Amino acid sequence: MYRGPFTPYEAAHLLRRAAARGRREEAAQLAEMGLERAVAQLLRTPAPAPDPAIDDDPKANRGRIHRALVRHWFDHWLTTPTPAAERLVLFWSGHFVSEFQKVKLGRLIWEQNQTFRRLGPGSFPELLEAVARDPAMLVYLDNAKSRKEHPNENWARELMELFTLGEGHYTEADVKAAARAFTGWSVTSPRKARAEGRPITFEFRERWHDPAPKTFLGRTVRGGEEVLAVLSEEPQTYRFLAGKLLRFYLAPEPPRELVERAAEVLRLEGTYGLLRWLFTHEAFYAPEARNALVKSPVEYLIGLLYVGKPAPERALARALIGMGQVPFQPPNVAGWPGGRAWLGDAALLVRLNLLPALLEEDADLSVFMDGAEDAYAAVLPEGQML
């Protein structure tokens, strides 16, 4: 437990890491609350995000739909009373990725975003089960067409390699067994859904399913539910996730002992439990923890927009493309590389060019960057760091 001072200086650091947005008066208010109450305030139940008006007609302009989705999420992040929930949504969006260009239907992508908001703070097994039935994920990783005659291994492989265990903790035989277990996990036919005027949802197609027993991670399973249960019991799942969460919220290379402790907290108390533990830990306020993380393009834009001027939708889209992170459109199933990869010459130039477009001379950057005294400070290296 952190026992040091909790002044606006420490509160600004907490706001940056937890929410990626803030102003001087907000940091002062958190400081007045004291550390534990401030953390509780930030980690309240996420405020609901309204559903956007989306045209999912196959002939609709998908580029326009995509830009509108990004704008809708940003508008919510900039106005919600629970911005820490949105930074966590960003984390899960980079962990359980889906690609708009392949999924094609904006409503499915937004429903996945809502799942991260609703279930992301809580129990990982509940979130994992929801993602395994998520239509956008089933389409993106090709499980929607997986049949017992030809099981598709994409979802099964990424489920272990990227979403739970990490490389080196499963075999090819486990991939094949999981792929068989998930045969028949599909979605409503889009054409049928349109004809009947109903949404596309998860659909279990029993005729496509392989019900025979399989050996998965040394256990006998038959269906996907059992695979998920096995993965949710594996200590390595929580170790893998805790490492990713600490790299997102604390440092690029968190100490092993912190990862082990975080894994146990995550297993017992869920994701907000881990964040509550981390945000009140002495390591979080250590001098070496400040300015240890590079802002992603999304975090950079959210921070600027919150204290600056609004940006037109197309300008926002161009900036995100130039900086290398377009929400709902990751480069591959592993998501965005992050870290120093965000600061290539061209991407950094886009960041710096945004400053005069978005900031007034008297903009309050006291939370946006460590040690900022005025808007001119945003060109300093600290302006790129969380």
Side-chain angles (χ1 to χ4, degrees), residues 200-214:
I200 296 170
T201 59
F202 171 78
E203 187 172 309
F204 178 65
R205 300 176 185 265
E206 190 170 0
R207 290 182 302 165
W208 294 8
H209 180 61
D210 177 355
K214 305 100 179 159

Side-chain angles (χ1 to χ4, degrees), residues 90-99 103 109 112 116 131 134 136-137 140-141 155 162-163 244 328-336:
L90 180 65
F91 171 81
W92 289 124
S93 299
H95 182 74
F96 291 119
V97 304
S98 293
E99 184 183 344
V103 175
I109 291 291
Q112 185 180 80
F116 298 150
V131 169
D134 178 70
M137 182 63 75
Y140 177 55
L141 289 181
W155 158 251
L162 297 175
F163 303 159
K244 286 194 72 170
F328 313 122
Q329 195 62 36
N332 52 55
V333 70
W336 295 275

Side-chain angles (χ1 to χ4, degrees), residues 244-322:
K244 286 194 72 170
L245 282 160
L246 291 188
R247 288 192 292 275
F248 190 78
Y249 283 100
L250 178 64
E253 297 182 15
R256 183 174 178 178
E257 61 272 18
L258 276 185
V259 173
E260 292 291 338
R261 176 60 183 139
E264 186 65 9
V265 176
L266 177 63
R267 184 180 68 82
L268 295 174
E269 301 179 33
T271 307
Y272 263 13
L274 181 151
L275 293 182
R276 191 174 300 109
W277 165 83
L278 177 63
F279 293 160
T280 56
H281 197 286
E282 59 184 357
F284 187 77
Y285 298 94
E288 59 269 23
R290 301 182 77 98
N291 295 319
L293 301 176
V294 177
K295 290 183 178 106
S296 70
V298 167
E299 292 157 347
Y300 185 77
L301 260 179
I302 288 293
L304 288 178
L305 289 168
Y306 190 65
V307 298
K309 296 177 282 188
E313 192 173 280
R314 284 186 176 275
L316 199 66
R318 286 195 298 270
L320 288 164
I321 291 169

Side-chain angles (χ1 to χ4, degrees), residues 8 37 39 53 86 92 118 120 156 172 222 227 247 263 265 322 330 336 373 382:
R37 284 184 57 213
V39 170
E86 300 311 309
W92 289 124
R118 188 177 69 256
E172 285 300 306
R222 291 179 181 272
V227 169
R247 288 192 292 275
V265 176
W336 295 275
E373 295 182 359
E382 290 82 1

Side-chain angles (χ1 to χ4, degrees), residues 66-187:
H66 186 192
R67 290 193 298 272
L69 276 177
V70 173
R71 187 67 200 228
H72 186 77
W73 182 21
F74 278 27
D75 285 347
H76 177 68
W77 194 338
L78 291 166
T79 57
T80 180
T82 54
E86 300 311 309
R87 186 161 189 251
L88 183 58
V89 169
L90 180 65
F91 171 81
W92 289 124
S93 299
H95 182 74
F96 291 119
V97 304
S98 293
E99 184 183 344
F100 178 85
Q101 189 172 348
K102 182 171 181 179
V103 175
K104 297 179 181 177
L105 297 177
R107 190 157 304 282
L108 297 189
I109 291 291
W110 181 252
E111 286 171 358
Q112 185 180 80
N113 186 275
Q114 292 280 46
T115 295
F116 298 150
R117 184 171 294 105
R118 188 177 69 256
L119 298 179
S123 153
F124 180 71
E126 286 186 33
L127 176 61
L128 182 63
E129 189 170 334
V131 169
R133 288 175 167 79
D134 178 70
M137 182 63 75
L138 289 166
V139 171
Y140 177 55
L141 289 181
D142 305 305
N143 211 85
K145 297 180 180 179
S146 186
R147 305 175 183 234
K148 58 187 175 185
E149 297 84 3
H150 300 287
N152 189 292
E153 296 180 2
N154 288 355
W155 158 251
R157 185 177 303 280
E158 308 310 348
L159 173 63
M160 287 178 279
E161 180 177 330
L162 297 175
F163 303 159
T164 55
L165 301 175
E167 286 187 89
H169 296 280
Y170 61 91
T171 67
E172 285 300 306
D174 293 321
V175 173
K176 294 183 184 303
R180 292 171 56 209
F182 282 106
T183 50
W185 286 49
S186 188
V187 300

